Amino acid sequence: MDKMKRFIDINVPVTSCTLRCHYCYITQHRLFSAALPKFRYGAEFIGKALSAERLGGICHINMCGGGETLLPPEMTTIVRAILEQGHYIMIVTNGTVTKRFEEMMTYPVELRQRLGFKFSFHYLELKKRNLLDVFFANIKRVRNAGCSFSLELTPSDELIPYIEEIKAVCMERVGALCHVTVARDEKKAEFPILTKYSREEYKKIWGSFHSDLFDFKISVFGEKRKEFCYAGVWGGILDIGTGVLRACDNTLLRQNIFEDISKPIRFKAIGQCNKSHCHNAHAWLTLGMVPCLKTPYYFQMRNRQDAEGRDWLNPQMKAFLGQKLGNENERFNQSKEKSVYRMARLKNKTWSVLHWVKNKIK
């Protein structure tokens, strides 16, 4: 079994989209009709920049755009170039760009076994645009080709009257209920749950899907993390358009790893989290970025078994995502953790002051 060294969350610089979901910031800011991005770096270059040797080993890589991830035609060759380095990839997609799925299903089987898709189930939009058949046909296409998949619903209050209908469609089309995430209100500083209902009412409504993803996310949502975090050294967030690698969402720790790919990448832990809560805890925490915290495994956030006992994740992907990052990485001793933590606090205070000044100037 391949060992997981790091988690790299790749941002694909696309805001164009085929859907117009009202709860999406892309729709709210009317960015869905923006032109497709022009990639500064080619697929071969990106593959070399993200070689297993340079990243220290085989990585789990997540790829997601602000709009529809698979709209840019370059994505087919970029994904292949990264897979050819030995990594495992999951791509977030709304499942409507059939041509990209057709192209990627021509990859050799050994690449397809390390490829998975997180199908975002935007039920009302898909139904409104008569795209449900296209959506589920693409799920069937990747499943038949040996890839992994996961089906995930963003819970909005407007969907509540359709819950039983959604469940019936899921059981008919994929043999199991979809997973459910937790929607957050990004217009507010603390990123609270996006709903008019109380937390307990929200849990009761969406808990009916019996989703491990929902159960874990809601259990830690709004919880400030005070433990030592290895984000930055065990993983990071990469903008594939610019090459800028950040340790996490809200940190000063960043570098451009595309400017000179002959140079090694500097991996530095953030130590202290500066966010109100871990927004993507279902990945960062379940993969073990905070090793002292007991969590489920990441494969549980993505997998389901259908009525015939078939997993959504193929055996190779399931085993790979059933690992913790601490298995292949050494933890710091207590003295070093304290030193990194103190430095992180200083940098976070500096960042807060700069952010305050910037807002005042505006």
Side-chain angles (χ1 to χ4, degrees), residues 101-307:
F101 294 107
E102 291 174 341
E103 292 167 348
M104 287 185 283
M105 294 313 103
T106 65
Y107 294 167
V109 64
E110 62 268 20
L111 299 187
R112 298 199 305 267
Q113 289 173 340
R114 289 186 278 107
L115 178 61
F117 299 88
K118 300 175 188 174
F119 285 90
S120 298
F121 193 23
H122 302 295
Y123 182 70
L124 292 182
E125 267 294 288
L126 291 169
K127 186 177 180 180
K128 173 184 175 183
R129 297 176 183 277
N130 199 30
L131 289 171
L132 280 171
D133 287 340
V134 171
F135 180 82
F136 284 106
N138 284 326
I139 292 180
K140 184 177 182 180
R141 177 176 283 108
V142 304
R143 192 177 201 179
N144 289 345
C147 297
S148 299
F149 81 94
S150 188
L151 182 62
E152 177 182 314
L153 183 78
T154 298
S156 65
D157 292 350
E158 291 77 10
L159 277 176
I160 293 174
Y162 301 90
I163 284 179
E164 294 308 314
E165 184 178 319
I166 290 169
K167 289 179 179 178
V169 170
C170 290
M171 294 303 297
E172 177 187 353
R173 300 294 192 120
V174 294
L177 298 180
C178 58
H179 276 301
V180 179
T181 186
V182 176
R184 60 180 185 260
D185 188 348
E186 298 197 359
K187 294 178 182 178
K188 299 178 182 177
E190 296 300 309
F191 287 178
I193 299 172
L194 181 62
T195 183
K196 66 182 180 182
Y197 295 94
S198 70
R199 188 184 183 101
E200 287 308 309
E201 289 172 326
Y202 188 82
K203 285 173 64 176
K204 184 176 180 180
I205 292 167
W206 298 107
S208 66
F209 281 81
H210 305 292
S211 165
D212 287 339
L213 172 62
F214 177 79
D215 291 344
F216 178 69
K217 286 199 75 168
I218 198 69
S219 73
V220 297
F221 199 94
E223 253 183 34
K224 170 70 177 173
R225 296 263 63 92
K226 299 178 181 179
E227 307 89 348
F228 190 90
C229 180
Y230 283 83
V233 65
W234 291 1
I237 300 174
L238 174 66
D239 187 320
I240 205 171
T242 63
V244 172
L245 177 69
R246 294 177 292 149
C248 191
D249 281 324
N250 198 3
T251 177
L252 291 173
L253 295 176
R254 59 186 65 198
Q255 62 185 299
N256 193 310
I257 66 170
F258 285 1
E259 285 181 344
D260 186 349
I261 62 174
S262 68
K263 291 182 178 179
I265 299 171
R266 305 184 308 276
F267 293 105
K268 295 182 179 180
I270 64 168
Q272 181 193 37
C273 182
N274 193 38
K275 297 188 290 185
S276 57
H277 62 274
C278 187
H279 305 153
N280 289 313
H282 66 284
W284 294 82
L285 297 187
T286 60
L287 288 169
M289 210 68 75
V290 179
C292 68
L293 194 67
K294 187 175 182 181
T295 68
Y297 288 93
Y298 183 58
F299 83 87
Q300 294 171 261
M301 306 295 104
R302 295 297 165 208
N303 196 41
R304 289 276 207 186
Q305 274 195 346
D306 64 21

Side-chain angles (χ1 to χ4, degrees), residues 80-113:
R80 178 165 185 161
I82 297 174
L83 285 171
E84 287 174 343
Q85 304 303 318
H87 303 305
Y88 288 68
I89 297 178
M90 292 288 282
I91 300 173
V92 179
T93 175
N94 66 23
T96 63
V97 190
T98 300
K99 185 177 181 180
R100 298 290 173 268
F101 294 107
E102 291 174 341
E103 292 167 348
M104 287 185 283
M105 294 313 103
T106 65
Y107 294 167
V109 64
E110 62 268 20
L111 299 187
R112 298 199 305 267
Q113 289 173 340

